[in-house]
Amino acid sequence: MSFLRPFCRTTALAGAAITTLAFFTWISVLPLHAQSAISEFAKSDQPIASESIKPPDSAKREAPQTTGTGTLASVDQKSLTAKTIDKVKQVAKSASDIFSRVPCSPPKGGARAMGSLPHVASKLASGQPVEIIAFGSSSTAGYGTTSPEFTYPNRLAGQLRRQYPGVEISVVNRGKGGEDAAEMMKRLQIEVIDMKPDLVIWQVGTNAVLRNIDPDETAKQVEDGIKRIQAAGADLVLVDPQYSPRVNERAESANKMVKLLGRVAELRHVGIFPRFQIMRDWHEKQAIPIDNFVIADGLHMNDWGYACFAQLLGDDIIKSVGQIKLGVNLPAKVQAYRPM
């Protein structure tokens, strides 16, 4: 009977190979955002959908040994595969229908034509490769999202690639949770300027408000950073603090921070995306409950909040490109929105 043992082992391996082939064939026909979720699962235990996917305990033990009869022991691959497929389906559904649950509408009034991104708009209009760096703290890193693909930089990248399918577009996430302007300035040179980006989106101010740091001091640091980014030849958009319960607890400081960042943007002729005004508009004018766009910590946005934020920001970039294509190259001092 010993001549049957190699056959048993080969059959077992072939079965595993067929299962693996079928699984990855299924993956190949998924939408790109679902494939991204599989990729994240393969690399780490990052959360996908609403909870982390972890291999069953049997997968964490040592590799199974050959039994006395030559039959290979194996982990419950079918169970793991089924769980992974379910999670990917959840991610795909969440990515595709997020705006059907709550529509993403621009603020009512206050918008002006974007003319502050001539460099990146010209490159997109001519089909040249574009590198964008998203610089900031936890809401740039994506705290509060249920999957890494739902961060605003990833959402923005997807929108721009759909709009300009023939252009190589890279959006690099340089968000680091908990940092204020002074801490960001320490890594500005290496993580932003040395990368020679075409556009820098700088989200700043929230942590300074939460820590009771003088808004004037933050404004000075941001202005210094703007000068350095402009000297490197990149376009720049500032993103001010979020409208959320924890920020609103320090309303006086938050309002001052928002006004100062708007003033700095105006003086330095850079774009500003007024996140505070837009999120307040969601709640006060569009009657969207705060917990529809802010997670339970009362500070960070959820998947919908990040998605709408990215959508509106991307719309402004696309409008700027449209102006370049039409020959309407507005001066850099014209901002996307009026300062508050």
Side-chain angles (χ1 to χ4, degrees), residues 100-176:
S100 68
R101 296 195 296 272
V102 182
C104 178
S105 302
K108 299 177 181 179
R112 304 175 82 179
M114 175 172 274
S116 57
L117 304 178
H119 180 68
V120 71
S122 295
K123 293 192 74 172
L124 283 172
S126 60
Q128 299 178 60
V130 167
E131 174 140 333
I132 299 171
I133 291 185
F135 188 47
S137 56
S138 58
S139 58
T140 297
Y143 189 90
T145 60
T146 59
S147 174
E149 67 175 327
F150 295 160
T151 64
Y152 103 74
N154 283 343
R155 291 280 196 182
L156 177 63
Q159 180 184 1
L160 294 178
R161 288 167 186 158
R162 289 190 297 272
Q163 182 71 22
Y164 310 104
V167 181
E168 181 181 341
I169 299 172
S170 173
V171 181
V172 180
N173 194 326
R174 288 288 185 261
K176 190 172 182 180

Side-chain angles (χ1 to χ4, degrees), residues 228-241:
R228 292 170 60 185
I229 292 169
Q230 287 179 319
D235 292 332
L236 176 64
V237 173
L238 290 180
V239 177
D240 62 21

Side-chain angles (χ1 to χ4, degrees), residues 5 8 22-23 29 63 72 92 126 128 134 142 184 217 223 228 232 239 245 250 255 257 271 292-293 297 318:
R5 290 177 184 174
C8 293
F23 175 56
V29 300
L72 293 176
S126 60
Q128 299 178 60
M184 293 180 200
E217 182 61 30
E223 185 171 11
R228 292 170 60 185
V239 177
R250 295 172 169 80
N255 287 328
M257 181 69 72
N292 275 23
F293 54 85
D297 69 357
I318 292 167

Side-chain angles (χ1 to χ4, degrees), residues 23-24 27 30-46 48 84 88 147-149:
F23 175 56
F24 285 101
I27 291 175
L30 281 174
L32 181 59
H33 54 256
Q35 293 185 39
S36 173
I38 283 287
S39 175
E40 292 296 333
F41 167 70
K43 291 185 290 186
S44 70
D45 282 338
Q46 290 292 327
I48 295 179
T84 303
V88 171
S147 174
E149 67 175 327

Side-chain angles (χ1 to χ4, degrees), residues 262-327:
R263 190 175 304 163
V264 169
E266 184 177 22
L267 290 174
R268 298 304 308 173
H269 299 169
V270 299
I272 185 163
F273 186 87
R275 180 170 55 158
F276 189 88
Q277 175 189 354
I278 287 172
M279 293 178 71
R280 183 170 62 186
D281 186 279
W282 292 345
H283 181 57
E284 296 182 358
K285 295 184 180 180
Q286 300 183 40
I288 300 175
I290 288 181
D291 59 8
N292 275 23
F293 54 85
V294 174
I295 64 173
D297 69 357
L299 178 61
H300 297 93
M301 288 184 283
N302 61 13
D303 286 341
W304 183 90
Y306 284 116
C308 192
F309 166 32
Q311 180 72 39
L312 297 177
L313 178 59
D315 287 346
D316 284 337
I317 295 173
I318 292 167
K319 287 176 186 175
S320 184
V321 177
Q323 291 167 352
I324 295 292
K325 287 184 175 181
L326 292 173

